[in-house]
Amino acid sequence: MTIRVIIVDDQAMVRAGFAALLGAQSDIDVVGDAADGAQALEVTGRTHPDVVLMDVRMPVMDGLEAARRLLDPAVPGAHRPKVLMLTTFDVDDYVYEALRAGASGFLLKDAPPADLIAAVRVVAAGEALLAPSVTRRLIEDFARTRPARRRDPKLRLNGLTPRETEVLELIARGLSNQEIAAGLVLAEQTVKTHIGRILAKLDLRDRAQAVVLAYESGLVTPGQ
């Protein structure tokens, strides 16, 4: 299956470079680009991409607001692509809010080309791009500076079994399915089953939102 992608960035050279790199892959088709969030909404509505590569900081409408609108569950029948935020180290708050809005993860704009290609494939497959340690750093920094946002975990997590709660905690710490399976001495397929149940019980879109909830609920706290 070919992955349909649009690239959203206010720098034309960045858009052209990413398009050339991704377009050279046999399983990726760049179907459009946009210079700001407002254009991204229009192009998405017209091309129905599987993945949107979205820069955070742009004129007219930034990537955060565009992601919110693209992923708004209150809009019935709307096409909701996977959104992968493109960012730098100095936008912690923006990235966290994007994850809360439903973005599937983020990638540093200076990441190696192979990482960008892999990220598109991972997100298109329905996974969240959360394994890199920088992700944990951004989320933990945000949680540390805004502890008031966290709530009693029993408010939402009491429907999980002890094993599911344990798996959720490990997801929030950035472990992959393989690492969770090894740590808990489980089959990887069993871990996938647990994750599916966690997402269903908590009404979450993907692993990214699961990580956010784990921090906001207090299940995981920085420095543990």
Side-chain angles (χ1 to χ4, degrees), residues 40 50-51 80 103 166 191 207 215:
D50 301 304
V51 177
R80 294 188 184 87
E166 193 173 16
V191 172
R207 292 169 76 111
Y215 276 91

Side-chain angles (χ1 to χ4, degrees), residues 66-90:
R68 284 190 182 122
R69 297 192 187 190
L70 283 176
L71 302 171
D72 186 357
V75 181
H79 174 71
R80 294 188 184 87
K82 304 293 184 181
V83 176
L84 180 62
M85 306 302 295
L86 300 170
T87 186
T88 53
F89 279 104
D90 60 344

Side-chain angles (χ1 to χ4, degrees), residues 20-126:
L21 175 65
L22 295 173
Q25 310 307 308
S26 61
D27 60 336
I28 299 175
D29 184 14
V30 179
V31 296
D33 63 31
D36 58 59
Q39 289 183 17
L41 298 179
E42 188 275 325
V43 174
T44 298
R46 176 163 44 83
T47 62
H48 289 186
D50 301 304
V51 177
V52 176
L53 291 179
M54 183 84 74
D55 188 22
V56 172
R57 290 179 172 174
M58 295 179 292
V60 184
M61 180 189 295
D62 64 23
L64 176 57
E65 180 59 27
R68 284 190 182 122
R69 297 192 187 190
L70 283 176
L71 302 171
D72 186 357
V75 181
H79 174 71
R80 294 188 184 87
K82 304 293 184 181
V83 176
L84 180 62
M85 306 302 295
L86 300 170
T87 186
T88 53
F89 279 104
D90 60 344
V91 288
D92 299 25
D93 290 15
Y94 290 94
V95 170
Y96 186 87
E97 291 299 330
L99 292 175
R100 294 185 72 244
S104 294
F106 68 95
L107 188 71
L108 296 177
K109 293 179 75 172
D110 60 355
D115 286 2
L116 174 64
I117 296 167
V120 169
R121 290 170 177 156
V122 166
V123 169

Side-chain angles (χ1 to χ4, degrees), residues 1-2 7 9 13 25 31 45 47 58 64 72 77-78 104 106 121 124 130 133 148 159 171 174 195 203 205 208:
M1 181 188 74
T2 300
I7 301 164
D9 194 291
M13 289 185 66
Q25 310 307 308
V31 296
T47 62
M58 295 179 292
L64 176 57
D72 186 357
S104 294
F106 68 95
R121 290 170 177 156
L130 288 171
S133 60
I171 291 173
I195 293 172
D203 192 25
R205 177 186 174 96

